[in-house]
Amino acid sequence: MLEHLLAILAATLPAATPLLLAGLGELVVERTGVINLGVEGMMLIGAIAGFACAVETGLGAAAGLPAGALAGMAAALLFAVLALSLAASQAAVGLALTIFGIGLSAFIGQHYVSDSLPGLAPLSLPGFSAIPWLGPVLFHQDAMVYLSLCLFALVWWGLARTRLGLLLKAVGEAPEAAHAIGYRVVALRYGAVLFGGAMAGLAGAYLSTVYTPLWVQNMTAGRGWIAVALVVFASWRPARLLLGAYLFGGVTILQFHAQGLGLALPVQLLAALPYLATVVVLVLISRDRRALRLNLPASLGKPFLPG
């Protein structure tokens, strides 16, 4: 029993990493008053761009991860032009971006179906990885797991402790007031959207080059939508997002260890657990309307064009 629990905990960290990366990016975007529902599409674009670059260059994840981040930024730029500069509906543009990402990744990916990559070897931290029980769980993971935690710390610190973080939140709460005192609201939102795209693309590239280093059509399997839901679950707070990402990552891994834990549940139900958990959490959160109003960025989803 203990072995199964430790195996679940060890597998939860890499399973949660793409959720954490994409969720952090979307959290920063929504803090500025923009909602980008194209996270799933940007992850897929990052996944195929990263995988193709890794295969074609022969450099593996070292080339694939930055390529995925750049591809995600390019997709986010398209969203920004339409939703921010042209004031198109943010929800509609985000949904269109997801559809575009699904189609583009499937079209390009058909040439890479038979290819695979070596992935990234786990880092064994001397001394720490030998700690009983916790050592293999916390100190025997790939480099991207630790990078995602560093990015979490950076986002938390940036939003809570820096002038830029305060500006981003001010733009999300009252863009007209921020513009009136001289801040470039659209430029700040552009920066946030591009950061969110880079994080989503990085999350997708992690899936295709490290986590499961081969190409499978639609391999994100709804993780982009879960990342968007996690932002709401976290009430737009980075610390709660981290908790939520690991919670949902653990639910995802549970299906592979259910039999060892003695859970006699249908395979189909176990496969649906992450999505069922997402629906349940969103329903529970939506019941607390007061908490949502207190934490929801006041201008979320509302277009702004400087006069």
Side-chain angles (χ1 to χ4, degrees):
M1 184 69 173
L2 180 60
E3 290 181 0
H4 285 295
L5 290 175
L6 291 176
I8 290 172
L9 290 175
T12 292
L13 270 68
T17 295
L19 297 176
L20 180 59
L21 291 170
L24 285 172
E26 180 64 12
L27 185 145
V28 171
V29 173
E30 293 192 17
R31 274 295 199 172
T32 66
V34 179
I35 181 167
N36 185 354
L37 297 179
V39 176
E40 180 84 357
M42 293 187 297
M43 286 182 70
L44 281 168
I45 291 171
I48 186 56
F51 189 82
C53 187
V55 169
E56 297 299 337
T57 62
L59 298 176
L65 291 169
L70 289 174
M73 285 184 71
L77 179 61
L78 177 62
F79 171 89
V81 170
L82 295 173
L84 302 183
S85 296
L86 302 180
S89 167
Q90 295 175 13
V93 175
L95 291 173
L97 181 57
T98 289
I99 296 171
F100 173 70
I102 292 172
L104 181 64
S105 63
F107 175 71
I108 299 175
Q110 62 185 330
H111 304 293
Y112 295 97
V113 172
S114 60
D115 293 314
S116 61
L117 294 169
L120 284 179
L123 297 177
S124 293
L125 303 181
F128 293 100
S129 56
I131 298 174
W133 299 345
L134 289 180
V137 173
L138 299 178
F139 304 110
H140 191 68
Q141 303 288 349
D142 63 75
M144 284 301 298
V145 171
Y146 303 116
L147 177 62
S148 69
L149 292 172
C150 292
L151 288 170
F152 155 74
L154 184 63
V155 168
W156 175 84
W157 175 77
L159 287 175
R161 297 286 187 266
T162 68
R163 182 172 178 269
L164 177 60
L166 294 176
L167 282 178
L168 292 175
K169 289 187 284 188
V171 164
E173 294 295 334
E176 292 83 3
H179 175 70
I181 58 177
Y183 294 115
R184 301 174 62 186
V185 173
V186 175
L188 286 167
R189 286 184 168 181
Y190 255 87
V193 168
L194 291 177
F195 173 77
M199 293 289 279
L202 185 62
Y206 175 77
L207 281 173
S208 64
T209 64
V210 180
Y211 188 62
T212 53
L214 49 85
W215 175 252
V216 178
Q217 185 175 334
N218 198 25
M219 68 185 306
T220 53
R223 287 179 175 87
W225 296 110
I226 294 177
V228 174
L230 276 175
V231 176
V232 182
F233 165 80
S235 301
W236 295 271
R237 299 174 186 170
R240 288 185 63 174
L241 179 72
L242 176 71
L243 200 62
Y246 285 121
L247 173 64
F248 280 87
V251 172
T252 302
I253 291 300
L254 182 62
Q255 60 182 297
F256 303 112
H257 295 269
Q259 289 184 344
L261 292 173
L263 300 176
L265 296 174
V267 175
Q268 294 83 355
L269 177 60
L270 290 171
L273 276 179
Y275 313 105
L276 291 174
T278 302
V279 173
V280 170
V281 165
L282 288 178
V283 169
L284 292 176
I285 289 174
S286 64
R287 296 179 63 185
D288 192 353
R289 298 185 181 276
R290 182 174 175 274
L292 278 177
R293 284 197 300 270
L294 286 175
N295 295 292
L296 178 73
S299 67
L300 185 64
K302 299 175 183 178
F304 173 80
L305 286 174

